[in-house]
């Protein structure tokens, strides 16, 4: 008789992770719930929200009759996520701590704790996302150390795992997973990937998980940046002034999830795809131009509003999330371009803030 596969599920105290654990239990896996404490914060009544979330996560484990563990990554969160957040903020950039938290905490600290300390065959979270692997294929994965360097040998890791958008496109959270390592992704299950939020709530209601249903959507410290900065960008002031629109940006070295970099981009030095820089915004068609240092120029088919350094440009091809890079530089605004066209042209020489002297002319390296 085969021993049940052991899956360690991250529990936030919310409905999504609770239902993820429930579904894993139904599939016959040996499930362990783990609550991560990443931050100490108080609500309006002076109650520690992390403690309350931990209690809710523990109740989920009691209802599902599964073991419960609590781990603290407050120090790691401060060093790897919040310090970066403050540093970016001080530079006048618009950081996204959600993406950084997933990279360093959930899919690094938690992942290694689950595998190394708890003996997990796989980990799971309540994210709305999918991968290219079936469950049984996830359990067959072995740890393979990927080589370092920009153009790594593609055949070193065969059948790289792809990160795919969720069935519920509105709830899709691949944006926040765009910096996750291949190592972690190939050992991760996303039980909610094929479900809608409404159906998840229905499952919770039918399975005695009412205490997580009554909670507001999880808005931990990871979401502070997203709420404040995105609202600031979107509300200051409501205008379609051309100074807010740009069609060119340069990223840091891109983290490619499955192929590093994609074969088409290596071959042609350019590649058509889509990108977004905010969760749930419409995907924007673009052309990527690869630089020798692994950074890319992104030329949008049409100018987009409210681009800001520090945000992540997340790239998509069909339903696959290819990866992301932090926005470091912006091209001239539509306002400046219009202003330039209205002036008599004196010289064709001058500094350029884009690939070549215009989109499509190749990168300036």
């Amino acid at each position: 008789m085969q021993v049940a596969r052991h899956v360690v599920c991250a529990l936030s105290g919310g409905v999504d992770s609770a239902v993820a654990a429930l579904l894993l239990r139904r599939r016959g896996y040996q499930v362990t719930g783990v609550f991560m404490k990443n931050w100490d914060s108080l609500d309006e009544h002076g109650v520690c929200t992390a403690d309350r979330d931990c209690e809710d996560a523990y109740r989920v484990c009691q209802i599902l009759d599964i073991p419960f563990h609590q781990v603290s990554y407050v120090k790691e969160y401060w060093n790897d996520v919040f310090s970066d957040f403050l540093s970016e903020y001080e530079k006048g950039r618009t950081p996204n701590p959600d993406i950084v938290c997933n990279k360093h905490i959930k899919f690094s600290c938690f992942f290694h704790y689950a595998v190394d300390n708890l003996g997990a065959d796989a980990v799971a979270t309540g994210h709305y996302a999918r991968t290219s692997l079936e469950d049984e294929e996830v359990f067959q994965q072995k740890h393979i150390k990927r080589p370092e360097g920009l153009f790594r040998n593609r055949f070193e890791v065969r059948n790289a795992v792809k990160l795919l958008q969720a069935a519920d496109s509105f709830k899709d959270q691949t944006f926040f997973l765009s910096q996750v390592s291949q190592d972690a992704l190939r050992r991760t299950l996303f039980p909610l990937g094929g479900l809608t939020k409404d159906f998840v709530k229905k499952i919770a209601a039918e399975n005695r998980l009412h205490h997580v249903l009554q909670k507001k959507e999880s808005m931990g410290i990871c979401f502070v940046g997203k709420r404040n900065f995105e609202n600031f960008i979107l509300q200051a002031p409501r205008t379609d002034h051309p100074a807010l629109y740009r069609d060119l940006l340069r990223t840091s070295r891109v983290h490619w999830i499955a192929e590093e970099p994609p074969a088409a981009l290596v071959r042609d030095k350019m590649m058509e795809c889509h990108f977004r820089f905010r969760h749930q915004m419409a995907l924007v068609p673009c052309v990527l131009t690869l630089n020798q240092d692994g950074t890319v120029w992104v030329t949008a088919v049409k100018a987009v509003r409210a681009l800001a350094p520090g945000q992540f440009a997340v790239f998509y091809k069909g339903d696959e999330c290819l990866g992301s890079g932090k926005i470091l530089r912006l091209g001239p605004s539509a306002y400046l371009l219009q202003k330039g066209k209205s002036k008599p042209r004196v010289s064709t020489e001058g500094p350029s803030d884009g690939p070549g002297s215009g989109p499509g002319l190749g990168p300036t390296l």
Side-chain angles (χ1 to χ4, degrees):
M1 181 177 170
Q2 187 178 0
V3 178
R5 304 288 195 180
H6 184 201
V7 182
V8 175
C9 185
L11 293 177
S12 66
V15 64
D16 293 331
S17 59
V19 171
L22 167 67
L23 294 176
L24 293 168
R25 190 93 164 80
R26 279 187 180 173
R27 292 177 195 174
Y29 302 138
Q30 176 195 341
V31 182
T32 298
V34 174
F35 176 81
M36 285 171 269
K37 184 176 183 180
N38 301 330
W39 190 258
D40 291 309
S41 60
L42 303 178
D43 65 12
E44 62 274 16
H45 304 296
V47 177
C48 180
T49 53
D51 289 345
R52 189 173 56 211
D53 290 338
C54 184
E55 288 174 15
D56 289 335
Y58 177 62
R59 282 186 65 193
V60 168
C61 289
Q62 286 183 310
I63 292 167
L64 300 182
D65 192 24
I66 61 175
F68 172 80
H69 291 262
Q70 178 186 358
V71 290
S72 174
Y73 296 127
V74 172
K75 183 176 75 171
E76 291 84 352
Y77 187 91
W78 180 274
N79 292 336
D80 296 329
V81 182
F82 199 66
S83 293
D84 174 76
F85 174 88
L86 293 177
S87 174
E88 290 288 282
Y89 181 52
E90 285 171 354
K91 292 172 185 171
R93 294 177 179 167
T94 307
N96 191 312
D98 307 78
I99 292 176
V100 182
C101 180
N102 279 325
K103 177 180 182 176
H104 291 294
I105 308 300
K106 293 175 187 168
F107 290 90
S108 183
C109 296
F110 163 70
F111 174 75
H112 289 297
Y113 170 76
V115 173
D116 300 335
N117 292 50
L118 300 181
D121 296 309
V123 302
T125 71
H127 286 99
Y128 288 82
R130 297 179 297 128
T131 73
S132 54
L133 294 179
E134 298 294 331
D135 281 16
E136 198 51 41
E137 292 177 298
V138 172
F139 294 118
Q140 293 167 2
Q141 298 302 306
K142 299 281 192 296
H143 174 78
I144 303 173
K145 176 91 172 147
R146 294 184 79 178
E148 297 299 324
L150 175 55
F151 295 99
R152 311 194 274 214
N153 183 346
R154 298 175 186 287
F155 301 101
E156 192 73 27
V157 178
R158 297 183 185 276
N159 303 319
V161 181
K162 296 178 180 179
L163 177 62
L164 306 175
Q165 293 188 78
D168 186 338
S169 57
F170 182 74
K171 283 298 295 179
D172 173 64
Q173 292 174 307
T174 52
F175 179 87
F176 301 118
L177 301 171
S178 61
Q179 287 275 316
V180 171
S181 72
Q182 178 73 193
D183 244 13
L185 194 64
R186 62 197 302 117
R187 299 276 292 273
T188 299
L189 301 174
F190 296 114
L192 308 188
L195 308 180
T196 63
K197 180 73 174 191
D198 287 343
F199 191 59
V200 167
K201 288 180 177 178
K202 184 171 182 287
I203 294 173
E206 293 172 351
N207 288 275
R208 301 184 296 133
L209 294 170
H210 300 283
H211 72 288
V212 292
L213 262 180
Q214 294 160 4
K215 297 179 69 171
K216 293 179 181 177
E217 286 293 300
S218 177
M219 283 290 183
I221 188 65
C222 285
F223 289 85
V224 168
K226 179 165 71 72
R227 283 190 295 178
N228 289 354
F229 288 112
E230 283 193 8
N231 288 343
F232 171 74
I233 290 168
L234 293 174
Q235 296 166 4
R238 279 194 170 182
T239 176
D240 284 331
H241 194 280
L244 295 174
Y245 286 81
R246 285 177 164 81
D247 63 2
L248 183 66
L249 63 93
R250 185 171 185 162
T251 72
S252 62
R253 175 173 163 174
V254 176
H255 169 75
W256 301 105
I257 292 170
E259 274 191 301
E260 178 136 355
L265 188 55
V266 175
R267 183 184 64 244
D268 304 327
K269 299 296 183 287
M270 301 178 78
M271 183 178 76
E272 293 183 354
C273 64
H274 289 77
F275 85 105
R276 61 167 53 111
F277 55 94
R278 287 195 314 273
H279 177 46
Q280 295 180 336
M281 73 172 282
L283 287 168
V284 179
C286 66
V287 175
L288 303 186
T289 307
L290 181 65
N291 299 315
Q292 287 179 344
D293 59 359
T295 65
V296 297
W297 283 105
V298 183
T299 306
V301 169
K302 62 178 183 178
V304 290
R305 184 176 183 268
L307 279 169
Q311 295 169 321
F312 281 87
V314 182
F315 306 113
Y316 292 84
K317 193 88 170 175
D319 66 349
E320 181 184 358
C321 177
L322 301 174
S324 64
K326 189 178 287 187
I327 299 173
L328 297 184
R329 293 173 64 187
L330 301 177
S333 68
Y335 175 72
L336 283 179
L337 291 174
Q338 289 173 10
K339 206 172 173 184
K341 285 177 184 175
S342 65
K343 289 183 178 179
R345 199 162 180 182
V346 178
S347 169
T348 57
E349 298 297 319
S352 169
D353 196 29
S357 57
L361 296 182
T364 301
L365 300 174

